Amino acid sequence: MMMLDWSRRAACLDLDPELFFPISMEGPCQSQVEQAKKICNGCPVREPCLAYALSTRQAHGVWGGTDPDERRSLIAASAVPRQGSAPARPLPGGR
Ligand code: SF4
């Protein structure tokens, strides 16, 4: 799978991808989402990760410390331009 340059330094690189892609963003999975966001908060590539997720309209999972609802709000507020097609998830876990 394609790996972006910045993703090689991702704090989540060797972590279980399911932590960042819970089956739900609500209910019992909320603690999982919060745990993923905490990892993002200490990640050296949080900014490019979030920029990538916004520009490629990643609709699922935690990216750059944000959940899908937060990203939709950011996109709506700033009219982030959309880039071409992109892999669904080049990270975490070296995907
Ligand atoms: S999802 Fe993005 S910001 Fe969060 S740990 Fe992984 S690379 Fe870093």
Side-chain angles (χ1 to χ4, degrees):
M1 174 142 344
M2 177 183 154
M3 183 175 241
L4 303 172
D5 283 347
W6 55 262
S7 69
R8 297 178 193 283
R9 296 186 293 122
C12 58
L13 190 61
D14 297 320
L15 300 180
D16 184 351
E18 291 189 13
L19 178 63
F20 291 81
F21 287 88
I23 56 174
S24 169
M25 290 288 157
E26 302 169 342
C29 293
Q30 186 61 36
S31 64
Q32 190 176 339
V33 171
E34 293 306 318
Q35 186 180 351
K37 287 180 176 180
K38 282 182 184 175
I39 293 168
C40 292
N41 284 339
C43 179
V45 294
R46 181 178 175 177
E47 287 186 24
C49 176
L50 178 56
Y52 175 84
L54 293 173
S55 66
T56 57
R57 303 297 194 264
Q58 297 294 323
H60 304 286
V62 173
W63 291 78
T66 64
D67 61 41
D69 284 345
E70 292 167 333
R71 291 196 299 278
R72 277 190 286 275
S73 295
L74 288 170
I75 289 168
S78 64
V80 177
R82 183 181 190 135
Q83 293 181 354
S85 62
R89 185 69 175 185
L91 61 108
R95 289 145 310 271

